Amino acid sequence: MKKYGLHGKLQATTGNGPALAQLLLEASKMVSTAKGCRLYLISQEDTAPDDVWVTEVWDSKEDHDNSLQAPGVKELIAQAMPLLAGRPDKGQQLTVLGGAGLN
């Protein structure tokens, strides 16, 4: 099994971590049925609630890239941008080899 993975942190402006996390949870619902989506996980740090982590697993990079065109995704991105403390890093691109919960 080789899948495309992304893992990255988005830092919200002070106090906006929960709002950012909520928008990303909405995004997870939008892409959950997208072709090739295996995992779209949103996490927050207990000691830094303005740091929101996104972990994604896709069948391919192409499937991930296509998911950005899903209805509503661009609008959600536009809503999230003002909540960010800075431009988001690209994140770590990974080759996912397998693990519990992945088919």
Side-chain angles (χ1 to χ4, degrees), residues 1-8 35-41 54-68 89-98 102-103:
M1 167 200 296
K2 283 195 178 180
K3 306 282 184 197
Y4 177 73
L6 288 173
H7 183 68
K35 180 182 178 291
C37 181
R38 300 295 172 187
L39 177 76
Y40 195 97
L41 179 69
V54 180
T55 305
E56 303 175 54
V57 178
W58 296 86
D59 285 341
S60 68
K61 183 177 184 321
E62 179 182 28
D63 287 341
H64 167 266
D65 293 347
N66 289 338
S67 75
L68 298 174
D89 292 332
K90 185 173 182 174
Q92 298 172 323
Q93 293 187 38
L94 307 165
T95 299
V96 177
L97 304 176
L102 293 177
N103 296 327

Side-chain angles (χ1 to χ4, degrees), residues 41-55:
L41 179 69
I42 308 304
S43 307
Q44 252 178 320
E45 290 191 34
D46 292 340
T47 58
D50 291 325
D51 293 344
V52 181
W53 292 84
V54 180
T55 305

